[in-house]
Each structure stands twice: as C-alpha cells, then as structure tokens.
Amino acid sequence: MDNIISIFINSVFVGNILLAYFLGMCSFLSVSKNMETSVGLGFAVTFVLAVTTPVNWMVYHYLLAPGALSWAGLPGIDLSFLKLVTFIAVVAAIVQAVEMIIDRFSPFLYSSLGVFLPLIAVNCAILGAALFMVERDYNLIESIAYGTGSGLGWMLAIVSMAAIRKKLKYANVPEGLEGFGITMISTGLMAMAFMLFSGITM
Amino acid sequence: MKTTETKTLKVIFEPIWKNNPIMVQILGICSSLAVTVQLKTAIVMAIALTLVVAFSNLTVSVLRNAIPRNIRIIAELCIVATLVILADELLKAFMYDISKQLSVFVGLIITNCIVMGRAESFALANPPLLSFLDGLGNGIGYGSVLIAVAFIRELMGSGKLLGFDVVPQAFYLSGYENMGFMLLAPAAFIIIGLLVWLQRTLLNK
C-alpha cells in the first residue's frame, strides 16, 4: 500500500510528467493562456490517463510482452516491438469511445469537455505515461495509481501556469521575451519549485 | 528555373532559422528536451527525428492523392508510427547503450507535434521532393535547437562535451565548479526561454 501511495505522490510532484519529463508541452503552452480551458483540459487529461494507462497495461501484458500469448498456446512469440503502434491505437480508440459515452449520457459534460477530447489522442503525456509504465515494470494497481497521479500532476501544472500567465499580462516583460520566452522561463521556475518535493519519502 | 531554385532553397533554409519549428512555430518541444543532458544523446535524437520527419513527409506526399480526407489523421499516424518503430529497432540494433539512455523518448517521436504538423500543413499540399526537403529543413532546425541546449547543459553542467573533459583542470583548482542545476529539468526550460529571446532580438534587428 505504501508503495502505491508513494508512486502516486511521486507522479504528482517530483516526477511530474510535464515539469520533469517534458511531456504534453504543446497543449500546455497553447492552452494555458486561458484559465477555464486549462481546467477543462486538465480534467480531460486526468480522466483519459486514468483509463488508458491500465488498459494499455492489460494490452501489453496479455498480448504484446515476450511470452504473453502463452494463454493462446503461443509462448514463443514476442510482439513488444508493436507496442508503439498498439498504444497509439488503443488511446485513440478509448478517446473516441469516451467521447461517445459522454455525449450520450451527459450532454453538459460533453459541451465543456468534448472539444478537448480529440486533442488528447495525440498528447505526448498519454503515450508517454503508457511507455513509462512498461519501462518501469509497474503492476496493474501501480499503473492505475501512476496514470491518475500523472494526470493530476499535469492538471496542477497547467492550472498554475494559467494563473501565472494571467498575472504576467500586467507585467513589464522585456521586448522579445514576451509570450513564449517568458512562459518557458516561468515554467522552469515552477519546475524548480516542484523539485523541492523530492525530500518527501513515504 | 531561377524561381524554382530559390523556392527549393527557401523550403530548406527557412525552418532552420527564420521559421524555426521550436522557437517560432512552437511545435514539438514535447519529450525531446529530456534528452538534452548530454550532447551525444541529443545528436542521435536530432538525427532520428530529422529522418523520421523527412521520410514521413515524403510518404504522406506520395500518397496524398490516395488518402481520403476524413481518415487522413489515422493514415498519417500509421506512417509515422511505422517509421518510428524502424528508427527504434535500428537504434537498438546498432547503438544499444544510447537507445537505453533515450528510453521512451524515441517512441515519443510519434506524438511529436512537428511530425504531424508538417505532414498536415505541408506534405498534404506539395509534391514529394519539396515535402522531403521541408521535412529535412524542419528536422535540422529542430535538431539544431536540441543540440544547442545540450551543448550548454553538458558544458556547464558537467564540464564535458561528448563525454570528453573540456574545462581545463586549472579552472577547477582555482575554484570553478560545475553547475549541477544545468543537469536538472528546469534548466532546459530556462535555456529554451533565453534562446527564444536571443533569436527574436536578432530577427527584429
């Protein structure tokens, strides 16, 4: 149990998928201009990460990993080189399915979250989390904790960035540094702040 | 003849400086910054990405009249994913150590916005050769930023370049120390921010 809590805390703060591994930067930079959309996208990413990471875990461990097909009588087969293409396809399919389910059952949620869902299919954070999950050899429960934690960490980062950028509008930034430049530098400062959590051990 | 020549040159050279994919188009910062702690990994990553962009542009452009519009994203993703798997397997076969260090980041070239962005905005509307050159130019523009960041980080962070010590021993004896901060993630963000500042100031002159 301790292990799971520490994976969760670590993926939210110290190993933040955005600030420590640079994943999901594109949408982070373009969406953080606006507070409301940042919150919306943050929720959508958390949700999709929490669902796709365990699903990809199952796909990898029952279909792709070396020897995973032994339940089908094919123990000698190693399909792990297909993991990139499979993960992308799984993510795209789940995003599409989630979009349809939300549309059917909660039109309100759909109208606030729906626009972001297609964007997420190609967000590096989602594929990155799946690949890290394989690389670090998590089990199913750990991968759920890792997926949810990474999503929350990403949301925390983008929402705080949106808040910082709101204040930055009134700051007197040197010419040439406005916009992209200062955003990168403040992201760097924020990443430093997040690293301070590395003293916490469970 | 003259005009086509200048156009070809423009397609290659514009993305390297004036319309740099990272600094101006703000594409593809994702993932690859993590490999800039060392110059060696950054160079390998830059080469891998350049080849993937160039060949995905070429393939998409050759197939552009055969791909139906409404499934083009999936078709493009398949092309890119195939190329990335090839690059990954080649790295594992010939440069196993570096491929271990790059770990998941080679795979993440798939979701790198530059690859999809160029396929969408250039390769779908232009002939194969021009698209190939555009991919090459964008790859080099992207790679040069990556290498610049890695150069600064490795030089200041560990006093080495490509693994060789370059800071003279006399400096250390007289009190110079490596900046450990340069090896951490926040440094990459800040260096990119400063490079953008430099580039914009130079361009506006």
Side-chain angles (χ1 to χ4, degrees), chain B:
Chain B
M1 197 59 211
K2 185 85 180 139
T3 49
T4 52
E5 254 174 35
T6 49
K7 190 167 182 216
T8 320
L9 285 181
K10 214 174 133 191
V11 162
I12 311 183
F13 287 110
E14 199 147 75
I16 295 180
W17 173 247
K18 229 171 159 183
N19 195 15
N20 188 292
I22 292 191
M23 313 238 229
V24 182
Q25 306 173 34
I26 318 192
L27 283 181
I29 308 156
C30 337
S31 68
S32 304
L33 279 182
V35 303
T36 55
V37 176
Q38 287 177 349
L39 200 51
K40 198 168 66 181
T41 47
I43 291 173
V44 173
M45 186 70 187
I47 295 171
L49 187 115
T50 309
L51 291 180
V52 170
V53 188
F55 282 100
S56 85
N57 259 5
L58 181 70
T59 322
V60 170
S61 172
V62 169
L63 295 175
R64 71 186 189 281
N65 296 322
I67 302 175
R69 249 199 111 58
N70 46 357
I71 60 156
R72 66 181 195 284
I73 305 258
I74 300 173
E76 286 161 18
L77 264 181
C78 288
I79 293 170
V80 176
T82 315
L83 288 167
V84 172
I85 292 177
L86 270 179
D88 198 20
E89 297 291 315
L90 280 176
L91 277 179
K92 269 186 202 150
F94 294 108
M95 292 187 238
Y96 190 71
D97 293 338
I98 295 186
S99 125
K100 267 275 163 268
Q101 282 173 11
L102 289 172
S103 73
V104 306
F105 292 99
V106 176
L108 286 168
I109 296 177
I110 296 180
T111 47
N112 193 315
C113 329
I114 291 184
V115 186
M116 287 294 279
R118 291 327 289 176
E120 269 290 279
S121 65
F122 198 91
L124 275 180
N126 286 287
L129 183 65
L130 216 54
S131 305
F132 183 75
L133 293 176
D134 175 77
L136 219 53
N138 274 287
I140 295 171
Y142 175 85
S144 52
V145 176
L146 213 61
I147 290 171
V149 175
F151 180 83
I152 300 174
R153 284 180 81 181
E154 193 176 351
L155 182 65
M156 297 181 78
S158 42
K160 293 177 179 177
L161 283 178
L162 287 170
F164 297 106
D165 295 301
V166 284
V167 175
Q169 204 58 38
F171 276 43
Y172 289 112
L173 293 177
S174 58
Y176 173 83
E177 274 189 44
N178 289 325
M179 256 169 99
F181 172 67
M182 280 292 159
L183 301 178
L184 304 175
F189 289 111
I190 292 175
I191 293 171
I192 285 275
L194 295 175
L195 282 178
V196 170
W197 191 10
L198 179 74
Q199 194 237 15
R200 291 208 178 154
T201 318
L202 290 177
L203 271 186
N204 283 345
K205 253 181 197 165

Side-chain angles (χ1 to χ4, degrees), chain A residues 162-186:
Chain A
I164 294 175
R165 284 182 87 165
K166 215 172 181 178
K167 293 278 175 199
L168 269 179
K169 272 186 205 147
Y170 304 103
N172 191 6
V173 179
E175 195 187 336
L177 196 60
E178 313 102 331
F180 182 44
I182 193 71
T183 310
M184 284 309 276
I185 292 180
S186 13

